[in-house]
């Protein structure tokens, strides 16, 4: 699924009060938090942060704590970049970094 469509779907799910929406949001929350804990690729981390932003009002306590922890640990992580940026890693790293 295209990321923009995924983000729109998550935003709509976040406004729903159904049990199915809550389960889908919990799954998306878990996936995004796993990404923040494990991924090193800049684009993936940026997408996970965007997903968390879209659903944050449903899980504010959890997400706030995780974002604070992420800020503390991201400084020590070696950030990597997508293959499309391979030729320009030094330049991209100036602007897309921890």
């Amino acid at each position: 699924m295209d990321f923009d469509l995924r983000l729109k779907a998550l935003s709509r799910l976040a406004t729903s009060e159904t049990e199915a929406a809550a389960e889908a949001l919990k799954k998306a929350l878990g996936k995004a938090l796993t990404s923040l804990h494990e991924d090193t690729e800049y684009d993936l981390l940026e997408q996970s942060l965007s997903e968390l932003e879209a659903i944050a009002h449903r899980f504010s306590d959890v997400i706030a704590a995780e974002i604070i922890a992420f800020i503390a640990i991201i400084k020590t992580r070696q950030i990597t970049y997508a293959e499309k940026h391979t030729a320009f890693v030094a330049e991209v790293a100036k602007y897309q970094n921890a």
Side-chain angles (χ1 to χ4, degrees):
M1 176 186 283
D2 177 67
F3 179 71
D4 290 332
L5 290 176
R6 178 172 169 69
L7 204 54
K8 286 179 184 179
L10 284 175
S11 295
R12 287 197 179 200
L13 273 176
T15 63
S16 176
E17 295 296 327
T18 67
E19 186 63 34
E23 288 301 315
L25 290 171
K26 287 178 187 175
K27 185 176 177 181
L29 173 66
K31 182 179 175 189
L33 292 179
T34 298
S35 173
L36 288 188
H37 290 201
E38 298 174 1
D39 286 334
T40 60
E41 187 176 322
Y42 183 89
D43 291 340
L44 295 177
L45 292 169
E46 185 176 46
Q47 288 177 357
S48 295
L49 289 169
S50 294
E51 290 174 2
L52 291 176
E53 181 180 9
I55 64 173
H57 67 282
R58 294 289 295 265
F59 306 99
S60 57
D61 292 345
V62 172
I63 292 177
E66 291 290 339
I67 293 295
I68 291 168
F70 175 73
I71 291 169
I73 65 165
I74 193 62
K75 298 172 192 172
T76 63
R77 200 176 303 174
Q78 178 65 41
I79 302 297
T80 59
Y81 302 93
E83 278 188 35
K84 64 184 178 184
H85 298 300
T86 303
F88 308 102
V89 169
E91 294 301 314
V92 171
K94 289 179 184 177
Y95 305 101
Q96 295 181 348
N97 55 52

